[in-house]
Amino acid sequence: MKAIYPGSFDPVTNGHIDIIERAAKLVDKLVVAVAMNLEKEAMFETQERVDLLRQACRHLANVEVDYFHGLTVSYARKHEARLIIKGLRAVSDFEFELQQALMNKRLDDGIETMFMMTSAEYLFLSSSMVKQLAMLGASVTGLVPDGVEKLLLEKTKLMQR
Ligand code: ADP
């Protein structure tokens, strides 16, 4: 079975990597798809987000990284994937994710969304938290892959000038 793991990944965190590693064990092929979401003002360019993910997923043979715009279900259909994987953290994620999953089901009844619970150590980890920490000069070591930490520090230094 082929699955899509969509998200902004602005930038990828160790919480995302945990979901990717666990999901990759369950499916034949996992496509991590960076959504070019026009509403969200991103810190990282789409290509940077893709490159950072590719670097962080090098050790996973059945994981591919791509990007898309438009509907997740259209992207999934195009790639003949009938499964969307999403991660769930606290209850606060639930309402939005439920709404999205139900809307996706309405758009395409042949595509299922499955949720994976976060590992406890990543419960409070989000891309926006990581960006905030870096901007305030706090260390993000252990929260993001090495390549992300490096680029994040460079970007925040430039922004603080
Ligand atoms: P964020 O909410 O961090 O901006 P994304 O939009 O990139 O994340 O999220 C992509 C997917 O990864 C979503 O399903 C989201 O719930 C999930 N996710 C994000 N952070 C974590 C985490 N720490 N643990 C588990 N799942 C996560």
Side-chain angles (χ1 to χ4, degrees):
M1 162 113 40
K2 185 175 181 181
I4 306 282
Y5 176 41
S8 326
F9 305 105
D10 184 44
V12 56
T13 68
N14 287 345
H16 296 128
I17 298 297
D18 172 59
I19 297 287
I20 293 170
E21 285 175 345
R22 287 160 55 205
K25 286 188 193 144
L26 303 174
V27 297
D28 301 309
K29 176 123 206 146
L30 182 69
V31 182
V32 182
V34 175
M36 299 172 69
N37 188 342
L38 301 177
E39 274 169 52
K40 276 196 195 172
E41 174 107 12
M43 179 189 261
F44 293 81
E45 302 291 335
T46 305
Q47 194 57 51
E48 288 176 326
R49 290 186 263 157
V50 167
D51 291 344
L52 290 171
L53 268 163
R54 284 203 178 126
Q55 222 181 83
C57 296
R58 265 182 321 208
H59 60 299
L60 300 164
N62 63 338
V63 173
E64 188 187 300
V65 181
D66 192 15
Y67 62 90
F68 71 104
H69 25 198
L71 292 171
T72 308
V73 287
S74 308
Y75 178 81
R77 224 176 6 234
K78 205 172 101 194
H79 289 263
E80 291 174 343
R82 291 176 45 218
L83 180 62
I84 296 173
I85 303 267
K86 301 290 320 254
L88 269 189
R89 283 161 294 190
V91 186
S92 49
D93 277 344
F94 180 78
E95 204 168 326
F96 175 72
E97 292 292 353
L98 174 67
Q99 201 179 12
Q100 248 193 6
L102 293 180
M103 186 49 79
N104 284 340
K105 187 96 183 130
R106 190 171 180 278
L107 291 169
D108 191 327
D109 199 25
I111 299 176
E112 286 293 341
T113 304
M114 282 177 69
F115 292 94
M116 293 184 62
M117 295 302 158
T118 182
S119 296
E121 67 258 51
Y122 304 124
L123 183 58
F124 297 107
L125 183 56
S126 67
S127 299
S128 47
M129 178 69 83
V130 159
K131 285 183 278 191
Q132 240 175 37
L133 284 173
M135 303 244 249
L136 297 172
S139 164
V140 294
T141 306
L143 300 179
V144 292
D146 293 344
V148 173
E149 184 169 355
K150 198 164 157 269
L151 194 57
L152 190 57
L153 289 180
E154 281 170 23
K155 278 195 188 279
T156 44
K157 257 187 220 143
L158 283 178
M159 287 165 91
Q160 280 157 355
R161 262 193 203 157

